[in-house]
Amino acid sequence: MNLGPYQLDLSSPCIMAVLNATPDSFSDGGQLYGSSGCLDLSRVLKHVEAFLAEGADIIDVGGESTRPGSAIVAVDEELDRVVSIVEAIAARFDVPVSVDTSTPEVIQASASAGASMINDVRALQRDGALEAAVSTDLPVCLVHMAGEPKIMQQSPRYQDVVAEVSDFLLARAHACEDAGIDRCKIVLDPGFGFGKTLEHNLTLFRAISDLSALGFPLLVGVSRKSMIGEILNKPVNQRLVGSVALAMLAAQQGAAILRVHDVAATVDMLKIMNAVEERKDG
Ligand code: 9MG
C-alpha cells in the first residue's frame, strides 16, 4: 500500500505506534507535555526515535482523545497539538505519519505538514471531512464508532454487531470511492471499544477473518483497551500481556495493521509468529 512517498508491505502485519499529543488520553495522556504544561517537541522526537528503533512502521499522531467520555476539542487547539508534531517527525524521520483526526482543517493542515495517512474514528462523516480527505489524496482509515466518545459506552445495542459494523464500513468505503478516493487507499477498522460492550468486542474479534475479507486491509486497535481490563480485571498499566495476546490473535486472523502502544513487545510477538508460520510448511 502506498502511504504518500512510502510503500507499506501488508503481506505480514504492520505496526502503527500510538503517539498521543493529548493531555487526557486513557493510557498515555500527558506524556509529551513538559512541566510548564506545554507540548515538548524534544519528548515527541525521543518517543518517535524509540518507536522506530523498536520496529514501528507508522506513527499515528492524535490531538483529540477518543477515550469513552472525552469531550470534543476546539479546532485551533487540535491544530496546535498536531501540526507541529507532524512537521517535526516528517522533517527528521523516514517514516509515514498518520493523523488521527475527524476535523477537515486538521486533515488539510496535516497533509501540508507531511502526513501520509488520515485515521478517522468518525469515518470521514464530519461536515467537510470527506472533501478534505479527497483533496489531500492521502490514504484513509475508516473506523466504526457508534455515537460520540462522550456517550458511546452508554448501553450500546446491536441486532447483529458483525453485520452492522461490516455494512457501515462498506457503505463508508463506497462513499469514499464515489467521492474520488482510490480503493487501494482505503483501510477499514471495526473500532474496538467505540460504542461496544465486551460481548460486542469479543464477537467482532472472532470475526476478524470475515472483516479482513471485505476487500480492504483491516486495522485493529485493541492495545490497553478496557476490553482487556474487563477480562483481566487489571488497570491500564497492567494490560501488556493482554494487548500482545489480542494482537497475535488479530494477526492470525489476517489483520493488516496493528495499532499499539507497546511496539517492542508486539514486534517480538510477530517475529515469533512469523518464525512458526514460515516453518509450518517448510
Ligand atoms: C484513534 N484511535 C483510538 N483507537 C483506535 C482504533 O482502535 N483504531 C483506529 N484506527 N484509531 C483509533
Side-chain angles (χ1 to χ4, degrees):
M1 180 173 205
N2 287 323
L3 293 190
Y6 301 95
Q7 183 72 31
L8 212 57
D9 176 6
L10 298 181
S11 62
S12 73
C14 289
I15 303 281
M16 172 185 271
V18 179
L19 190 72
N20 280 321
T22 52
D24 60 340
S25 283
F26 77 103
S27 91
D28 54 1
Q31 64 174 346
L32 304 180
Y33 287 74
S35 49
S36 61
C38 293
L39 201 65
D40 180 345
L41 268 187
S42 67
R43 286 190 193 203
V44 170
L45 297 175
K46 274 198 191 120
H47 267 79
V48 174
E49 213 171 300
F51 281 149
L52 294 182
E54 289 169 2
D57 301 295
I58 312 170
I59 309 292
D60 189 43
V61 177
E64 179 179 64
S65 172
T66 49
R67 77 183 152 79
S70 60
I72 286 173
V73 168
V75 175
D76 285 350
E77 178 71 39
E78 198 189 341
L79 281 167
D80 242 28
R81 289 179 185 174
V82 166
V83 176
S84 57
I85 294 188
V86 175
E87 249 163 21
I89 300 174
R92 288 169 183 80
F93 299 102
D94 204 19
V95 64
V97 178
S98 82
V99 175
D100 148 27
T101 185
S102 304
T103 312
E105 293 87 338
V106 178
I107 293 173
Q108 252 147 1
S110 302
S112 306
S116 295
M117 183 178 188
I118 304 302
N119 172 30
D120 186 6
V121 299
R122 295 178 182 81
L124 301 174
Q125 293 180 103
R126 231 182 222 172
D127 278 352
L130 179 54
E131 294 74 11
V134 171
S135 75
T136 66
D137 210 25
L138 291 180
V140 295
C141 175
L142 307 170
V143 185
H144 175 274
M145 174 165 72
E148 278 293 311
K150 197 143 189 81
I151 51 136
M152 67 189 176
Q153 288 309 105
Q154 294 171 9
S155 56
R157 282 202 185 90
Y158 301 85
Q159 295 281 338
D160 178 339
V161 68
V162 176
E164 286 168 52
V165 168
S166 305
D167 289 351
F168 170 86
L169 291 175
L170 285 177
R172 291 310 299 155
H174 294 146
C176 286
E177 287 187 78
D178 290 346
I181 298 179
D182 204 288
R183 190 179 174 80
C184 67
K185 290 187 171 169
I186 297 174
V187 174
L188 302 182
D189 181 337
F192 290 100
F194 288 116
K196 285 135 192 140
T197 63
L198 175 60
E199 276 318 308
H200 295 142
N201 285 318
L202 291 174
T203 304
L204 271 176
F205 205 92
R206 287 181 209 108
I208 285 176
S209 341
D210 299 329
L211 296 166
S212 297
L214 290 175
F216 300 88
L218 197 78
L219 191 152
V220 168
V222 284
S223 176
R224 300 184 188 172
K225 284 194 177 171
S226 64
M227 64 183 286
I228 298 169
E230 284 181 66
I231 297 168
L232 301 179
N233 194 21
K234 289 197 165 163
V236 76
N237 61 350
Q238 292 172 30
R239 297 180 188 166
L240 172 63
V241 175
S243 299
V244 175
L246 284 183
M248 187 173 91
L249 292 167
Q252 284 178 328
Q253 289 191 73
I257 305 175
L258 303 168
R259 184 178 182 275
V260 306
H261 299 85
D262 301 291
V263 173
T266 314
V267 168
D268 279 357
M269 174 278 287
L270 288 176
K271 282 185 187 161
I272 297 290
M273 206 185 98
N274 290 337
V276 171
E277 287 183 354
E278 268 160 32
R279 270 158 224 176
K280 209 164 49 185
D281 310 321

